[in-house]
Amino acid sequence: MKYEVKVDLKNRSEEYSFTEVAKQANGSAWLKSGDTVILATVVIDETEIVKDDFLPLTVQYIEKTYAAGKIPGGFFKRETKPSDFETLTSRIVDRSLRPLFPKGFGYPTQITIMTFSVDKESDLQVLALNAASAALFVSNIDINTSVSAVRAAKIDGELVLNPTLSELNRSTLDLYLSGTKDDLLMIEMRSMGGERVDSSLVLDPLMDPTFSAPIITTHVSNAIGEDELIAIFEKTEQLLFESNAKYEEAFKAFKKETMEIEYKAHLLNEEMVKYVRENHFADIKSAMNQMAKSERSTALRSIRKKIILEQEDWNEAELKDAIENVKKEQVRAQILNERVRADGRALNEIRPISISTNVLPRAHSSCLFTRGQTQALVVLTMGGPKDAQMFENLTDNGTQNENFMVHYNFPGFSVGEASPIMGTKRRELGHGNLAKRALEPIVNLDGQTVRIVSEILESNGSSSMATVCGGYMALRAADIETSDVIAGIAMGMVSEGNKYAILSDIMGLEDHDGDMDFKVTGSKEGITAMQMDIKLGGISLNVLKEALYQAKEGRAHIIDIMVEAEKNIEFNDGVLPSTDFFHIDPSFIGEIIGQAGKTIREIIEKFEVAIDIDKKEGKVKVTGKSKGGVKSARDYIEGIINAPKVAKIEYKVGDKHKGIVKKIVDFGAFIELPDGTDGLMHISKISDQRVEKVSDVLKEGEEINVEILEFKGNKISLGRCH
């Protein structure tokens, strides 16, 4: 392969070939970084132009398992539907490149990114965007701007830019930025949970030298503060700008001659705009007060029908655009000039919130979270290690288990649309992933599996943030310990020239007509996850900092409401599984397990629990279907440990002792000897006469006289003596 360009970057270099492969595409780029090889292609359909105001762009990121020397698992030995990682990577590339296309570009466009070889230290999401941007830059489409990505990590308190995957796995921060040499376009961020020593639980060995319990650690969220995050943005953004300048300088020699493209003419009928503004402004302002999308659409449709009756020769499609334009003007002007939003709220005001927990009596836990006209029913189910979702990324050495899942569903009826419920869409997967990133740092499941499902029942903005809030409440309604209280809020912005307004808790109207969609999740102290898309080409860090602090204020308000709602939680005790963790002296483990596992099996069957014991450290985990069963099992185990000890007896053949009938079986009876040792009395040794049924002669709990007949390995054979 002939590589025509090499770009040296922070901690990494990239080599590109633009003339060797995929020559039928409008643009292609073969990228090699380390041992990773990616091909990105861009193709447009020149024979079709979409008529409405929509960019028909499709991005597909595809991983080939042969890239890592693997054969696909499962029944079908070829790649089938995209993995979650592939879908999320496609979304990242789409959101980063979509702003580059000129207004009026209406040709269906396909960007395909294929991973052919993989270096297990490579950041495939960064390389995928860089390759796609390179293919788009050198294509014959009139796009002359490079977009690239930078990832930042925080390892042992130090900022690391463009980390390897091994470094990222040790990081407490995962920050992904994309942008051009002038503007920041997109942010994806999450904090990673960790552990800290709880010093209040570590005893001083000088005070109690006999104490040997392990040091206790506490799970922490590693939420990051706003000021620290802005400082990291400054360093990361600067590297992003420098990298794009290098790309554009290196790629411009390979840019194809720009093709002639017919752009969609989307011209407003100014006569209609003026008429609507002068004669129906009040009607449109009133329609904006219809907060539900369906109600607002109905009101605007009524205005349009009314005007058509007044102006019978007008084109209804053009009139619809004119009304939409006046509506957008009204929404933005009212926010910028009057500092009042369409629903009458102040810029930083949060809509009314109501929270009901455990509304589903047979679910392990549930929460109905309502904020304004957005409502999420969030349901949590607990399971064991076997319930985890198995998956394997291309860079993994083997299969992994995902034991914390957040699934988000957005049916059409939530926005008043008559649409069928089909498979999971990219947007649903992305919103669920955002909520997972927000909540995962605050839970330490220690082997449990938790699945959270958010059913959006009504949506007027920010349903993903309702999922975060409802998800936290569902965790608490399941009595799952969390290291912090987490809420989410969606921020927006409207700007004209030097004037701008930042909006808290945006509704659908403000998302549609605004300039920014900025979702922030975290505690009162810091941020656990965030996602930002800029519609106007960039944002200054000063404005971003202001938005972050306004979001912090909004989160604190929501958290106060959530904390108050926690006080009213009533657990579904009849169906809620329970788990208990405690420590025992490892020397007692043999007694808890019992001879051939007899004792521990009895505990499991009697109390309907599962028991895991760490034989080295003495950690005991008891899981069951009810709190009562788990508590009883723990009490039983502690009873074994605390029971008075009986000295072991050295038994000999011919010794006679009193024993207790512990269990009757078809072939005889198990007898407990004075020191707790069990022996077997065969049915033939119970009586001098033939015994047909053991239970006719012996009763469980009965005390009898026995004689040691013989030893068979570790087993004692007994006979009855009178």
mmCIF file of all heavy atoms in Angstrom, residues 355-358 365-369 378 380 439 442 452 466-480 482 485-486 558-559 561-569 571:
data_model
loop_
_atom_site.group_PDB
_atom_site.id
_atom_site.type_symbol
_atom_site.label_atom_id
_atom_site.label_comp_id
_atom_site.label_asym_id
_atom_site.label_seq_id
_atom_site.Cartn_x
_atom_site.Cartn_y
_atom_site.Cartn_z
ATOM 1 N N ILE A 355 -42.953 12.765 41.392
ATOM 2 C CA ILE A 355 -42.263 11.478 41.435
ATOM 3 C C ILE A 355 -43.095 10.488 42.243
ATOM 4 O O ILE A 355 -43.445 10.761 43.389
ATOM 5 C CB ILE A 355 -40.857 11.618 42.073
ATOM 6 C CG1 ILE A 355 -39.995 12.616 41.282
ATOM 7 C CG2 ILE A 355 -40.168 10.259 42.156
ATOM 8 C CD1 ILE A 355 -38.680 12.952 41.949
ATOM 9 N N SER A 356 -43.400 9.354 41.631
ATOM 10 C CA SER A 356 -44.076 8.260 42.330
ATOM 11 C C SER A 356 -43.215 7.012 42.181
ATOM 12 O O SER A 356 -42.798 6.673 41.069
ATOM 13 C CB SER A 356 -45.464 7.998 41.743
ATOM 14 O OG SER A 356 -46.277 9.152 41.845
ATOM 15 N N THR A 357 -42.947 6.326 43.295
ATOM 16 C CA THR A 357 -42.090 5.149 43.250
ATOM 17 C C THR A 357 -42.889 3.875 43.512
ATOM 18 O O THR A 357 -43.915 3.880 44.191
ATOM 19 C CB THR A 357 -40.945 5.247 44.276
ATOM 20 O OG1 THR A 357 -41.494 5.574 45.549
ATOM 21 C CG2 THR A 357 -39.948 6.308 43.868
ATOM 22 N N ASN A 358 -42.382 2.791 42.949
ATOM 23 C CA ASN A 358 -42.974 1.456 43.076
ATOM 24 C C ASN A 358 -44.468 1.447 42.765
ATOM 25 O O ASN A 358 -45.303 0.947 43.521
ATOM 26 C CB ASN A 358 -42.684 0.869 44.466
ATOM 27 C CG ASN A 358 -41.223 0.447 44.590
ATOM 28 O OD1 ASN A 358 -40.570 0.157 43.580
ATOM 29 N ND2 ASN A 358 -40.703 0.434 45.795
ATOM 30 N N SER A 365 -38.621 -2.866 41.205
ATOM 31 C CA SER A 365 -38.825 -1.462 41.598
ATOM 32 C C SER A 365 -39.230 -0.672 40.359
ATOM 33 O O SER A 365 -38.994 -1.107 39.231
ATOM 34 C CB SER A 365 -37.565 -0.855 42.226
ATOM 35 O OG SER A 365 -36.610 -0.512 41.237
ATOM 36 N N SER A 366 -39.839 0.477 40.583
ATOM 37 C CA SER A 366 -40.274 1.319 39.465
ATOM 38 C C SER A 366 -40.399 2.754 39.933
ATOM 39 O O SER A 366 -40.503 3.039 41.135
ATOM 40 C CB SER A 366 -41.615 0.837 38.897
ATOM 41 O OG SER A 366 -42.609 0.819 39.911
ATOM 42 N N CYS A 367 -40.379 3.667 38.963
ATOM 43 C CA CYS A 367 -40.560 5.095 39.257
ATOM 44 C C CYS A 367 -41.281 5.748 38.081
ATOM 45 O O CYS A 367 -40.899 5.547 36.924
ATOM 46 C CB CYS A 367 -39.211 5.784 39.478
ATOM 47 S SG CYS A 367 -39.341 7.589 39.625
ATOM 48 N N LEU A 368 -42.311 6.487 38.374
ATOM 49 C CA LEU A 368 -42.997 7.306 37.373
ATOM 50 C C LEU A 368 -42.533 8.742 37.598
ATOM 51 O O LEU A 368 -42.929 9.392 38.560
ATOM 52 C CB LEU A 368 -44.517 7.186 37.527
ATOM 53 C CG LEU A 368 -45.345 7.886 36.443
ATOM 54 C CD1 LEU A 368 -45.106 7.254 35.072
ATOM 55 C CD2 LEU A 368 -46.831 7.841 36.781
ATOM 56 N N PHE A 369 -41.647 9.192 36.706
ATOM 57 C CA PHE A 369 -41.045 10.534 36.834
ATOM 58 C C PHE A 369 -41.677 11.452 35.796
ATOM 59 O O PHE A 369 -41.605 11.178 34.593
ATOM 60 C CB PHE A 369 -39.531 10.452 36.619
ATOM 61 C CG PHE A 369 -38.819 11.775 36.805
ATOM 62 C CD1 PHE A 369 -38.319 12.141 38.044
ATOM 63 C CD2 PHE A 369 -38.661 12.655 35.738
ATOM 64 C CE1 PHE A 369 -37.671 13.360 38.222
ATOM 65 C CE2 PHE A 369 -38.026 13.864 35.895
ATOM 66 C CZ PHE A 369 -37.528 14.222 37.150
ATOM 67 N N VAL A 378 -39.845 4.261 34.634
ATOM 68 C CA VAL A 378 -38.542 3.603 34.695
ATOM 69 C C VAL A 378 -38.648 2.398 35.620
ATOM 70 O O VAL A 378 -39.030 2.532 36.779
ATOM 71 C CB VAL A 378 -37.447 4.570 35.176
ATOM 72 C CG1 VAL A 378 -36.081 3.914 35.069
ATOM 73 C CG2 VAL A 378 -37.476 5.861 34.359
ATOM 74 N N LEU A 380 -36.928 -1.264 37.160
ATOM 75 C CA LEU A 380 -35.651 -1.922 37.443
ATOM 76 C C LEU A 380 -35.887 -3.384 37.790
ATOM 77 O O LEU A 380 -36.806 -3.726 38.526
ATOM 78 C CB LEU A 380 -34.947 -1.217 38.604
ATOM 79 C CG LEU A 380 -33.573 -1.746 39.022
ATOM 80 C CD1 LEU A 380 -32.694 -0.589 39.512
ATOM 81 C CD2 LEU A 380 -33.666 -2.802 40.115
ATOM 82 N N LEU A 439 -25.427 7.047 35.330
ATOM 83 C CA LEU A 439 -25.740 6.340 36.574
ATOM 84 C C LEU A 439 -24.694 5.305 36.975
ATOM 85 O O LEU A 439 -24.540 5.005 38.164
ATOM 86 C CB LEU A 439 -27.103 5.655 36.443
ATOM 87 C CG LEU A 439 -28.316 6.576 36.267
ATOM 88 C CD1 LEU A 439 -29.554 5.767 35.915
ATOM 89 C CD2 LEU A 439 -28.553 7.400 37.531
ATOM 90 N N ILE A 442 -22.135 5.520 40.054
ATOM 91 C CA ILE A 442 -22.567 5.606 41.462
ATOM 92 C C ILE A 442 -23.010 4.271 42.040
ATOM 93 O O ILE A 442 -23.417 4.205 43.198
ATOM 94 C CB ILE A 442 -23.705 6.637 41.643
ATOM 95 C CG1 ILE A 442 -24.961 6.190 40.880
ATOM 96 C CG2 ILE A 442 -23.258 8.018 41.246
ATOM 97 C CD1 ILE A 442 -26.215 6.930 41.288
ATOM 98 N N ILE A 452 -32.278 -1.603 33.837
ATOM 99 C CA ILE A 452 -33.219 -0.494 33.967
ATOM 100 C C ILE A 452 -33.837 -0.242 32.597
ATOM 101 O O ILE A 452 -33.119 -0.111 31.606
ATOM 102 C CB ILE A 452 -32.509 0.778 34.477
ATOM 103 C CG1 ILE A 452 -31.998 0.564 35.911
ATOM 104 C CG2 ILE A 452 -33.437 1.983 34.428
ATOM 105 C CD1 ILE A 452 -31.167 1.723 36.439
ATOM 106 N N ALA A 466 -35.058 12.699 31.927
ATOM 107 C CA ALA A 466 -36.081 12.099 32.788
ATOM 108 C C ALA A 466 -35.720 10.648 33.086
ATOM 109 O O ALA A 466 -35.970 10.140 34.187
ATOM 110 C CB ALA A 466 -37.453 12.184 32.118
ATOM 111 N N THR A 467 -35.103 9.978 32.117
ATOM 112 C CA THR A 467 -34.646 8.603 32.315
ATOM 113 C C THR A 467 -33.560 8.537 33.380
ATOM 114 O O THR A 467 -33.550 7.624 34.216
ATOM 115 C CB THR A 467 -34.123 8.032 30.983
ATOM 116 O OG1 THR A 467 -35.194 8.010 30.039
ATOM 117 C CG2 THR A 467 -33.553 6.639 31.156
ATOM 118 N N VAL A 468 -32.656 9.503 33.382
ATOM 119 C CA VAL A 468 -31.596 9.543 34.397
ATOM 120 C C VAL A 468 -32.207 9.716 35.790
ATOM 121 O O VAL A 468 -31.874 8.983 36.733
ATOM 122 C CB VAL A 468 -30.594 10.678 34.094
ATOM 123 C CG1 VAL A 468 -29.612 10.852 35.249
ATOM 124 C CG2 VAL A 468 -29.837 10.392 32.800
ATOM 125 N N CYS A 469 -33.100 10.702 35.933
ATOM 126 C CA CYS A 469 -33.715 10.970 37.240
ATOM 127 C C CYS A 469 -34.554 9.771 37.694
ATOM 128 O O CYS A 469 -34.455 9.331 38.849
ATOM 129 C CB CYS A 469 -34.584 12.225 37.167
ATOM 130 S SG CYS A 469 -33.686 13.728 36.741
ATOM 131 N N GLY A 470 -35.388 9.253 36.791
ATOM 132 C CA GLY A 470 -36.198 8.089 37.128
ATOM 133 C C GLY A 470 -35.347 6.866 37.397
ATOM 134 O O GLY A 470 -35.684 6.037 38.250
ATOM 135 N N GLY A 471 -34.231 6.727 36.683
ATOM 136 C CA GLY A 471 -33.328 5.604 36.901
ATOM 137 C C GLY A 471 -32.708 5.629 38.285
ATOM 138 O O GLY A 471 -32.597 4.594 38.953
ATOM 139 N N TYR A 472 -32.304 6.827 38.733
ATOM 140 C CA TYR A 472 -31.759 6.934 40.098
ATOM 141 C C TYR A 472 -32.818 6.553 41.129
ATOM 142 O O TYR A 472 -32.548 5.799 42.071
ATOM 143 C CB TYR A 472 -31.253 8.352 40.380
ATOM 144 C CG TYR A 472 -30.904 8.527 41.844
ATOM 145 C CD1 TYR A 472 -29.675 8.096 42.330
ATOM 146 C CD2 TYR A 472 -31.825 9.063 42.749
ATOM 147 C CE1 TYR A 472 -29.369 8.200 43.676
ATOM 148 C CE2 TYR A 472 -31.524 9.171 44.095
ATOM 149 C CZ TYR A 472 -30.298 8.733 44.554
ATOM 150 O OH TYR A 472 -30.002 8.815 45.893
ATOM 151 N N MET A 473 -34.038 7.061 40.944
ATOM 152 C CA MET A 473 -35.104 6.762 41.901
ATOM 153 C C MET A 473 -35.437 5.268 41.897
ATOM 154 O O MET A 473 -35.741 4.687 42.944
ATOM 155 C CB MET A 473 -36.348 7.583 41.584
ATOM 156 C CG MET A 473 -36.189 9.083 41.756
ATOM 157 S SD MET A 473 -35.678 9.580 43.422
ATOM 158 C CE MET A 473 -37.016 8.923 44.410
ATOM 159 N N ALA A 474 -35.365 4.619 40.729
ATOM 160 C CA ALA A 474 -35.620 3.179 40.659
ATOM 161 C C ALA A 474 -34.536 2.397 41.406
ATOM 162 O O ALA A 474 -34.822 1.384 42.054
ATOM 163 C CB ALA A 474 -35.709 2.729 39.205
ATOM 164 N N LEU A 475 -33.282 2.858 41.332
ATOM 165 C CA LEU A 475 -32.209 2.229 42.105
ATOM 166 C C LEU A 475 -32.498 2.293 43.597
ATOM 167 O O LEU A 475 -32.360 1.305 44.330
ATOM 168 C CB LEU A 475 -30.870 2.906 41.803
ATOM 169 C CG LEU A 475 -30.226 2.625 40.449
ATOM 170 C CD1 LEU A 475 -29.102 3.608 40.160
ATOM 171 C CD2 LEU A 475 -29.683 1.186 40.396
ATOM 172 N N ARG A 476 -32.924 3.471 44.056
ATOM 173 C CA ARG A 476 -33.203 3.629 45.483
ATOM 174 C C ARG A 476 -34.464 2.870 45.885
ATOM 175 O O ARG A 476 -34.559 2.328 46.988
ATOM 176 C CB ARG A 476 -33.351 5.113 45.830
ATOM 177 C CG ARG A 476 -32.124 5.947 45.531
ATOM 178 C CD ARG A 476 -30.884 5.467 46.307
ATOM 179 N NE ARG A 476 -31.084 5.554 47.732
ATOM 180 C CZ ARG A 476 -30.938 4.525 48.563
ATOM 181 N NH1 ARG A 476 -30.600 3.320 48.110
ATOM 182 N NH2 ARG A 476 -31.140 4.679 49.852
ATOM 183 N N ALA A 477 -35.443 2.809 44.961
ATOM 184 C CA ALA A 477 -36.673 2.065 45.254
ATOM 185 C C ALA A 477 -36.426 0.563 45.279
ATOM 186 O O ALA A 477 -37.283 -0.191 45.750
ATOM 187 C CB ALA A 477 -37.750 2.401 44.229
ATOM 188 N N ALA A 478 -35.273 0.116 44.774
ATOM 189 C CA ALA A 478 -34.875 -1.289 44.863
ATOM 190 C C ALA A 478 -33.916 -1.515 46.021
ATOM 191 O O ALA A 478 -33.359 -2.600 46.165
ATOM 192 C CB ALA A 478 -34.227 -1.732 43.553
ATOM 193 N N ASP A 479 -33.710 -0.482 46.824
ATOM 194 C CA ASP A 479 -32.816 -0.547 47.990
ATOM 195 C C ASP A 479 -31.385 -0.862 47.583
ATOM 196 O O ASP A 479 -30.664 -1.568 48.287
ATOM 197 C CB ASP A 479 -33.324 -1.577 48.998
ATOM 198 C CG ASP A 479 -32.763 -1.328 50.406
ATOM 199 O OD1 ASP A 479 -32.366 -0.186 50.687
ATOM 200 O OD2 ASP A 479 -32.721 -2.284 51.208
ATOM 201 N N ILE A 480 -30.972 -0.355 46.409
ATOM 202 C CA ILE A 480 -29.592 -0.510 45.950
ATOM 203 C C ILE A 480 -28.790 0.702 46.405
ATOM 204 O O ILE A 480 -29.186 1.846 46.173
ATOM 205 C CB ILE A 480 -29.537 -0.650 44.414
ATOM 206 C CG1 ILE A 480 -30.221 -1.956 43.982
ATOM 207 C CG2 ILE A 480 -28.098 -0.601 43.911
ATOM 208 C CD1 ILE A 480 -30.332 -2.126 42.489
ATOM 209 N N THR A 482 -26.199 3.637 46.577
ATOM 210 C CA THR A 482 -25.567 4.528 45.602
ATOM 211 C C THR A 482 -24.610 5.455 46.348
ATOM 212 O O THR A 482 -24.831 5.778 47.514
ATOM 213 C CB THR A 482 -26.607 5.371 44.847
ATOM 214 O OG1 THR A 482 -27.370 6.135 45.794
ATOM 215 C CG2 THR A 482 -27.549 4.482 44.052
ATOM 216 N N VAL A 485 -26.346 11.189 44.752
ATOM 217 C CA VAL A 485 -27.642 11.419 44.114
ATOM 218 C C VAL A 485 -27.382 12.055 42.752
ATOM 219 O O VAL A 485 -26.701 13.082 42.660
ATOM 220 C CB VAL A 485 -28.538 12.345 44.965
ATOM 221 C CG1 VAL A 485 -29.926 12.450 44.335
ATOM 222 C CG2 VAL A 485 -28.639 11.832 46.388
ATOM 223 N N ILE A 486 -27.926 11.453 41.694
ATOM 224 C CA ILE A 486 -27.655 11.901 40.323
ATOM 225 C C ILE A 486 -28.958 12.350 39.662
ATOM 226 O O ILE A 486 -29.966 11.648 39.722
ATOM 227 C CB ILE A 486 -27.012 10.785 39.489
ATOM 228 C CG1 ILE A 486 -25.672 10.360 40.094
ATOM 229 C CG2 ILE A 486 -26.821 11.228 38.032
ATOM 230 C CD1 ILE A 486 -24.624 11.439 40.130
ATOM 231 N N ILE A 558 -33.532 19.885 41.152
ATOM 232 C CA ILE A 558 -34.154 18.586 40.893
ATOM 233 C C ILE A 558 -33.755 17.572 41.961
ATOM 234 O O ILE A 558 -34.583 16.786 42.443
ATOM 235 C CB ILE A 558 -33.772 18.087 39.486
ATOM 236 C CG1 ILE A 558 -34.289 19.054 38.416
ATOM 237 C CG2 ILE A 558 -34.322 16.691 39.230
ATOM 238 C CD1 ILE A 558 -33.738 18.791 37.026
ATOM 239 N N ILE A 559 -32.483 17.589 42.365
ATOM 240 C CA ILE A 559 -31.998 16.649 43.380
ATOM 241 C C ILE A 559 -32.732 16.845 44.701
ATOM 242 O O ILE A 559 -33.084 15.867 45.384
ATOM 243 C CB ILE A 559 -30.468 16.783 43.549
ATOM 244 C CG1 ILE A 559 -29.755 16.153 42.342
ATOM 245 C CG2 ILE A 559 -29.993 16.141 44.849
ATOM 246 C CD1 ILE A 559 -28.270 16.399 42.294
ATOM 247 N N ILE A 561 -35.759 17.753 45.129
ATOM 248 C CA ILE A 561 -37.083 17.119 44.980
ATOM 249 C C ILE A 561 -36.946 15.600 45.051
ATOM 250 O O ILE A 561 -37.766 14.909 45.678
ATOM 251 C CB ILE A 561 -37.734 17.549 43.655
ATOM 252 C CG1 ILE A 561 -37.996 19.064 43.654
ATOM 253 C CG2 ILE A 561 -39.034 16.787 43.404
ATOM 254 C CD1 ILE A 561 -38.453 19.616 42.317
ATOM 255 N N MET A 562 -35.906 15.054 44.434
ATOM 256 C CA MET A 562 -35.694 13.608 44.433
ATOM 257 C C MET A 562 -35.380 13.089 45.838
ATOM 258 O O MET A 562 -35.882 12.038 46.253
ATOM 259 C CB MET A 562 -34.573 13.251 43.457
ATOM 260 C CG MET A 562 -34.942 13.475 41.994
ATOM 261 S SD MET A 562 -33.516 13.462 40.865
ATOM 262 C CE MET A 562 -32.861 11.830 41.119
ATOM 263 N N VAL A 563 -34.554 13.824 46.576
ATOM 264 C CA VAL A 563 -34.209 13.417 47.943
ATOM 265 C C VAL A 563 -35.462 13.397 48.818
ATOM 266 O O VAL A 563 -35.644 12.497 49.651
ATOM 267 C CB VAL A 563 -33.136 14.356 48.535
ATOM 268 C CG1 VAL A 563 -32.967 14.120 50.021
ATOM 269 C CG2 VAL A 563 -31.811 14.160 47.805
ATOM 270 N N GLU A 564 -36.337 14.374 48.637
ATOM 271 C CA GLU A 564 -37.588 14.408 49.402
ATOM 272 C C GLU A 564 -38.467 13.203 49.028
ATOM 273 O O GLU A 564 -39.108 12.590 49.891
ATOM 274 C CB GLU A 564 -38.323 15.713 49.111
ATOM 275 C CG GLU A 564 -39.433 16.048 50.090
ATOM 276 C CD GLU A 564 -38.949 16.248 51.509
ATOM 277 O OE1 GLU A 564 -37.796 16.701 51.701
ATOM 278 O OE2 GLU A 564 -39.728 15.939 52.429
ATOM 279 N N ALA A 565 -38.478 12.858 47.738
ATOM 280 C CA ALA A 565 -39.292 11.717 47.294
ATOM 281 C C ALA A 565 -38.749 10.394 47.831
ATOM 282 O O ALA A 565 -39.524 9.444 48.047
ATOM 283 C CB ALA A 565 -39.342 11.682 45.765
ATOM 284 N N GLU A 566 -37.432 10.326 48.067
ATOM 285 C CA GLU A 566 -36.844 9.107 48.630
ATOM 286 C C GLU A 566 -37.455 8.757 49.980
ATOM 287 O O GLU A 566 -37.569 7.574 50.337
ATOM 288 C CB GLU A 566 -35.325 9.273 48.790
ATOM 289 C CG GLU A 566 -34.517 8.987 47.545
ATOM 290 C CD GLU A 566 -33.034 8.872 47.865
ATOM 291 O OE1 GLU A 566 -32.667 7.993 48.678
ATOM 292 O OE2 GLU A 566 -32.249 9.665 47.318
ATOM 293 N N LYS A 567 -37.839 9.762 50.746
ATOM 294 C CA LYS A 567 -38.391 9.525 52.087
ATOM 295 C C LYS A 567 -39.717 8.770 52.034
ATOM 296 O O LYS A 567 -40.125 8.162 53.026
ATOM 297 C CB LYS A 567 -38.575 10.858 52.816
ATOM 298 C CG LYS A 567 -37.288 11.649 53.009
ATOM 299 C CD LYS A 567 -37.571 13.015 53.628
ATOM 300 C CE LYS A 567 -36.301 13.852 53.747
ATOM 301 N NZ LYS A 567 -36.578 15.214 54.278
ATOM 302 N N ASN A 568 -40.387 8.809 50.883
ATOM 303 C CA ASN A 568 -41.704 8.176 50.763
ATOM 304 C C ASN A 568 -41.661 6.810 50.088
ATOM 305 O O ASN A 568 -42.706 6.234 49.799
ATOM 306 C CB ASN A 568 -42.646 9.100 49.967
ATOM 307 C CG ASN A 568 -42.821 10.457 50.631
ATOM 308 O OD1 ASN A 568 -42.927 10.548 51.848
ATOM 309 N ND2 ASN A 568 -42.831 11.517 49.827
ATOM 310 N N ILE A 569 -40.453 6.293 49.835
ATOM 311 C CA ILE A 569 -40.340 5.001 49.158
ATOM 312 C C ILE A 569 -40.846 3.880 50.057
ATOM 313 O O ILE A 569 -40.458 3.780 51.229
ATOM 314 C CB ILE A 569 -38.885 4.720 48.737
ATOM 315 C CG1 ILE A 569 -38.467 5.669 47.604
ATOM 316 C CG2 ILE A 569 -38.713 3.270 48.279
ATOM 317 C CD1 ILE A 569 -37.018 5.545 47.196
ATOM 318 N N PHE A 571 -40.833 -0.188 49.795
ATOM 319 C CA PHE A 571 -40.244 -1.247 48.987
ATOM 320 C C PHE A 571 -41.270 -2.329 48.670
ATOM 321 O O PHE A 571 -42.173 -2.607 49.465
ATOM 322 C CB PHE A 571 -39.046 -1.869 49.703
ATOM 323 C CG PHE A 571 -37.938 -0.895 49.981
ATOM 324 C CD1 PHE A 571 -37.610 -0.550 51.282
ATOM 325 C CD2 PHE A 571 -37.229 -0.313 48.947
ATOM 326 C CE1 PHE A 571 -36.596 0.351 51.552
ATOM 327 C CE2 PHE A 571 -36.218 0.598 49.200
ATOM 328 C CZ PHE A 571 -35.905 0.929 50.506
#
